[in-house]
Amino acid sequence: MWFAIVGTDVPDSLEKRKGARPAHIERLQKLLDEGRLFVAGAFPAIESEDPGPAGFTGSLILAQFPSQAEAEAWAKDDPYVAAGVYASVSVKPFRKALPPA
């Protein structure tokens, strides 16, 4: 099943994000290589592709996992969690409706 993983950043998370980003991207690349990643990206703090020092307010990952428990365990082990980037993380089952496959 697909799961939406939404991380909400702590205030002023940009430097923490920068430090943990290589390891975060490496984990996402593994999901992509396995064909389990639908999309992943960050929420800019301002309306800009590159928000500069304004940074980001969180992230969204849509990925396939065998169960909710495994999706939650994967999210808990994210380098952004370990680095203190995220204030909270939610994991919800996701069912794609449109566009059709």
Side-chain angles (χ1 to χ4, degrees), residues 19-92:
R21 190 170 192 275
H24 174 75
I25 295 297
E26 183 178 320
R27 291 181 83 230
L28 292 172
Q29 185 64 50
K30 183 177 180 196
L31 288 178
L32 183 62
D33 293 347
E34 294 170 353
R36 297 171 48 205
L37 182 65
F38 184 73
V39 68
F43 301 120
I46 60 173
E47 187 179 349
S48 174
E49 284 289 318
D50 180 3
F56 300 89
T57 62
S59 304
L60 168 68
I61 300 165
L62 287 176
Q64 258 181 343
F65 292 92
S67 68
Q68 174 105 20
E70 290 181 60
E72 289 173 356
W74 187 91
K76 180 181 173 188
D77 288 338
D78 192 289
Y80 281 178
V81 171
V85 173
Y86 292 149
S88 65
V89 178
S90 69
V91 179
K92 296 181 180 186

